[in-house]
């Protein structure tokens, strides 16, 4: 049976444009993975009357209703009261949740005594399934009434997202009575529209599994989703489509069900006990920043030099002045010398470098905005890739970092780099 | 007269969670600045029947209805048709828009011939105000019907946002018959709830201007908004409240109507012809990345060293091994030595450093996650700040970078740093 889910996000801060509604995006995406339709999302403020009206409208057209926000301890937090009233339920005190809230305060906020109003969060609709919150204080809940499954989750994404994955997704999966499995292939090096045009006929022909591309900055995700009676049957439906897609895109695909490109790189470095460093000009620290965003980066990442001015390319990385004078800071030769310089300065196994024109203006040699060289220094030699990344500063920098990671990803996955080295 | 505005975002990609609804956030914020209430936001897919229902619901409770999305050339783009039908209007061909669309293709996409269906975008509701699109192909429009002002804007943020600012905001301002001016004070160094509790009584007492805090990562914005018959009168209402707020928060306020903390820092560096460099451990390139996010950073930012491993703190920055052994890499002494080392290695006027424990685990000396030292090396001496930034890796890194920028901001704004130097 196909289910219609509807989202109601509660919070005046959303109506004031103070925060982005990332919960709606996350939940929509997860619901779509579960094979559920979402036809409407609504945002209302911390106002019980308007929330009640939104709920009345939603329950007439959806059988799964998910709210986010308004579960906290302040007098603005009225979601539970309003939903319980709308569905004719009482709120009752849930002792276990009260204990959890007290515990949370003791463990995480030990300098502040717990204000009494926090216990309001332990008042929950009678007969509900309590969703414990291991990431904050407000528990969520699920109840069934009037043919509708009502799910309430806290608003902060760091609570809402893990609670959905841990408790709500299994509940909804059970509801649908079938298994839905998906596998996501991650691809770097081809734009979304090119990917889509290569796959359009297959996408239209496929019913189960389905195949859908999702664009992310500089990357494309290809999601294959199958419904079946069991996990094994679903996987058996997915496998041939995955083989087919891999046949089309080959080594542009950098992994399946994996994290970001830099996560794949970091994991591969650790697996091989290799270290890396970097030398950055146009990316200005972005490569180092993205690697060190990842917990445990220090096992493989030794450090980096941001040599924004040419004099520092010489003094810190030992790039010869003659090379800088002759070829210019934005050149394949200097990119390679920077990578080799970082490899030696940081005594790392591998080193990445990026030099280019991020804009807004062309450089003093007239190199256009978007011209970037990324290089990888390795024991086998130094490889370089020339890029033309368009006019947008952010996109130039982000793409350049992506390409640097892609270079080392290919090296670590034993994909030959000769052609690129020839440049 | 107070106006009630309502947003309807049209696009199946929003319901699938494929993109974030940044338009809703932008428009909500701009409408709030214009003094307009927003009580509901709705998202629907590219489905004329469900869109029609959302419009019927909205027009019963709002007098300004703004749609985004669904104005493009494909058969999915049905917003204009649906809105026109719902309000009993015909679509008519708008020759000037057709010319603009052809022009846009010639200028921006000169390799591709214009597909004929693009001219569908020139069909607009009879009697509407046409909003020309200088950032893409689909024009927007405004019409008035049944007591409602209906505004349609394209979905892509790079088109929606400038079109709203250029054409819709002036239209709405006219409608309200009064001037609304706001001034935003930016504050770093106190949490939102502390700021709010200091201001609560005043916020509640004030009617015109109003005063409202907005939390951003690590910062608080205080927006003072006044309505009056003229700009001068509005400014005269704002001035005493600004003085009062400045009296409360003093030098925690780093600027009024300014960009981010790093933008303020970069502008102040350029104004004084000073250069800066940085040495980063726990922030892993984030300080350099944030400075080089800004166009024109190279005028003041010379470079940075990301010395993630201790050996590089010694080899690149000249931090004495004895200091590292004695005090440990996470110490005020090492933070200062790193800043001084960067100042010398990059030959910059000033240098920032950050060293600390970003987590997830305590360091090998047992320093807890969240302990960070940031330092500023200047000709007058080296200043250091000790920080305890909690358990969350992202927040520790972001906050540490904020504090480093705050240190140099204070230096550049001639705020005495003695106390911090004493640590």
């Amino acid at each position: 049976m196909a289910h219609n889910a509807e989202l109601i996000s509660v919070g005046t801060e959303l109506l004031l444009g103070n925060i982005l509604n990332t919960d709606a995006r996350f939940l929509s995406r997860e619901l779509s993975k579960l094979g559920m339709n979402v036809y409407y999302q609504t945002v209302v403020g911390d106002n019980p009357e308007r929330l009640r009206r939104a709920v009345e409208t939603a329950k007439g057209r959806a059988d799964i209703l998910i709210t986010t926000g308004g579960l906290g301890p302040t007098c603005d937090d009225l979601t539970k009261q309003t939903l319980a009233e709308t569905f004719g339920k009482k709120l009752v005190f849930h002792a276990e949740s009260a204990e959890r809230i007290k515990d949370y305060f003791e463990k995480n906020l030990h300098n502040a005594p717990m204000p009494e109003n926090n216990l309001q969060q332990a008042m929950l609709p009678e007969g509900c399934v309590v969703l414990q919150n291991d990431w904050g204080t407000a528990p969520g809940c699920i109840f069934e009434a009037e043919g509708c499954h009502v799910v309430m989750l806290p608003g902060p994404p760091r609570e809402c997202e893990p609670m959905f994955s841990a408790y709500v997704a299994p509940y909804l999966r059970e509801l649908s009575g079938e298994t839905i499995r998906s596998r996501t292939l991650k691809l770097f090096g081809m734009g979304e529209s090119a990917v889509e045009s290569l796959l359009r006929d297959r996408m239209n022909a496929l019913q189960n599994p389905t195949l859908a591309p999702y664009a992310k900055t500089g990357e494309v995700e290809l999601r294959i989703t199958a419904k079946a009676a069991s996990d094994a049957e679903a996987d058996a439906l997915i496998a041939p489509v995955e083989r087919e897609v891999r046949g089309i895109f080959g080594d542009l695909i950098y992994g399946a069900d994996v994290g970001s490109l830099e996560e794949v790189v970091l994991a591969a470095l650790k697996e091989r006990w290799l270290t890396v460093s970097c030398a950055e000009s146009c990316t200005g620290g972005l490569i180092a920043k993205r690697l060190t965003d990842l917990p445990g980066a220090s096992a493989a990442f030794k450090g980096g030099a941001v040599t924004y001015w040419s004099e520092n390319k010489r003094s810190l990385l030992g790039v010869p002045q003659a090379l800088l004078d002759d070829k210019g800071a934005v050149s394949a030769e200097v990119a390679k010398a920077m990578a080799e310089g970082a490899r030696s300065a940081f005594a790392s196994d591998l080193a990445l470098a990026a030099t280019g024109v991020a804009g807004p203006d062309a450089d003093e040699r007239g190199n256009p905005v978007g011209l970037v060289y990324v290089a990888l220094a390795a024991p086998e030699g130094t490889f370089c890739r020339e890029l033309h990344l368009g006019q947008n500063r952010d996109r130039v920098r982000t793409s350049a970092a992506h390409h640097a990671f892609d270079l080392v990803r290919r090296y670590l996955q034993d994909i030959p780099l000769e052609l690129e080295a020839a440049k």
Side-chain angles (χ1 to χ4, degrees), chain A:
Chain A
M1 174 194 154
H3 290 277
N4 293 340
E6 190 155 335
L7 306 182
I8 299 183
S9 311
V10 186
T12 301
E13 66 278 19
L14 289 163
L15 294 182
L16 290 170
N18 197 14
I19 58 171
L20 261 168
N21 196 352
T22 56
D23 287 345
R25 187 214 184 158
F26 172 81
L27 294 173
S28 296
R29 189 157 192 177
E30 296 303 307
L31 289 165
S32 141
K33 280 191 206 165
L34 291 167
M36 307 213 159
N37 303 316
V38 178
Y39 291 136
Y40 294 93
Q41 301 168 355
T42 308
V43 179
V44 290
D46 301 311
N47 176 295
E49 182 48 28
R50 284 190 282 269
L51 172 56
R52 195 189 55 71
R53 270 188 242 161
V55 172
E56 295 285 0
T57 306
K59 78 184 194 189
R61 58 195 183 191
D63 64 336
I64 296 167
L65 180 57
I66 303 183
T67 70
T68 54
L71 302 185
T74 79
C75 54
D76 281 347
D77 294 305
L78 297 161
T79 302
K80 276 179 311 186
Q81 290 86 325
T82 307
L83 273 278
E85 264 174 52
T86 310
F87 285 92
K89 298 242 168 206
K90 265 188 276 192
L91 293 183
V92 294
F93 183 73
H94 188 247
E96 198 189 314
S97 291
E99 281 312 306
R100 286 196 160 269
I101 294 165
K102 282 182 199 159
D103 258 25
Y104 185 89
F105 263 84
E106 270 168 36
K107 281 189 192 133
N108 291 280
L109 305 155
H110 39 81
N111 292 320
M114 183 188 80
E116 267 307 298
N117 61 1
N118 271 277
L119 289 182
Q120 182 192 305
Q121 298 174 106
M123 297 297 290
L124 292 163
E126 51 183 347
C128 72
V129 178
V130 179
L131 308 175
Q132 72 181 52
N133 185 342
D134 298 322
W135 303 268
T137 57
C141 63
I142 306 181
F143 66 78
E144 223 187 307
E146 305 176 31
C148 200
H149 300 265
V150 179
V151 180
M152 294 183 234
L153 288 166
R158 67 180 180 283
E159 302 175 26
C160 173
E161 297 186 6
M163 283 173 75
F164 181 89
S165 302
Y167 307 118
V168 183
Y171 177 93
L172 296 177
R173 215 173 280 130
E174 184 94 349
L175 214 62
S176 74
E178 55 189 357
T179 291
I180 294 172
R181 299 263 285 179
S182 68
R183 190 154 164 90
T184 302
L185 302 177
K186 304 255 242 168
L187 187 148
F188 175 76
M190 190 185 281
E192 190 201 13
S193 58
V195 170
E196 214 173 323
S197 72
L198 279 174
L199 291 179
R200 190 167 299 131
D201 292 344
R202 282 305 280 146
M203 280 162 52
N204 291 337
L206 283 166
Q207 295 283 336
N208 186 26
T210 58
L211 174 63
Y214 297 87
K216 299 184 62 172
T217 322
E219 298 185 23
V220 177
E221 293 185 8
L222 287 168
R223 196 195 299 154
I224 310 168
T225 307
K227 298 186 190 190
S230 71
D231 283 0
E233 282 176 53
D235 289 346
L237 289 167
I238 289 171
V241 177
E242 176 172 347
R243 272 195 301 276
E244 190 184 351
V245 171
R246 284 185 180 271
I248 296 168
F249 297 104
D251 59 26
L252 294 177
I253 291 171
Y254 69 82
D257 291 340
V258 292
S260 63
L261 195 48
E262 54 266 35
E263 277 179 82
V264 169
V265 165
L266 182 63
L269 287 166
K270 285 184 182 176
E271 199 185 296
R272 296 197 176 196
W273 300 90
L274 292 173
T275 58
V276 72
S277 63
C278 60
E280 305 186 59
S281 186
C282 62
T283 49
L286 181 59
I287 295 174
K289 184 259 176 199
R290 282 173 56 177
L291 277 172
T292 59
D293 278 344
L294 308 172
S298 61
F301 177 69
K302 293 189 79 171
V306 182
T307 53
Y308 222 51
W309 285 24
S310 274
E311 63 185 58
N312 301 316
K313 294 183 178 67
R314 195 185 61 236
S315 64
L316 269 84
L317 299 170
V319 177
Q321 187 62 48
L323 202 61
L324 288 163
D325 292 341
D326 188 26
K327 304 287 180 179
V330 179
S331 62
E333 291 80 1
V334 167
K336 289 181 181 188
M338 287 170 65
E340 288 160 10
R343 189 166 174 260
S344 141
F346 289 95
S348 56
D349 299 308
L350 306 172
L352 292 169
T355 179
V357 188
D361 302 313
D363 74 357
E364 66 287 351
R365 289 190 176 231
N367 287 311
V369 176
L371 175 66
V372 175
Y373 296 89
V374 294
L376 166 70
E380 295 83 351
T382 303
F383 308 92
C384 182
R385 194 185 280 182
E386 179 179 319
L387 304 164
H388 300 270
L389 301 171
Q391 300 286 311
N392 179 287
R393 182 178 176 90
D394 275 356
R395 231 175 301 164
V396 169
R397 285 157 52 89
T398 305
S399 267
H402 257 95
H403 277 280
F405 291 131
D406 188 55
L407 211 49
V408 66
R409 184 272 298 187
R410 286 170 175 268
Y411 174 85
L412 293 166
Q413 293 181 346
D414 298 315
I415 300 166
L417 289 167
E418 285 81 9
L419 267 174
E420 302 185 294
K423 272 191 190 144

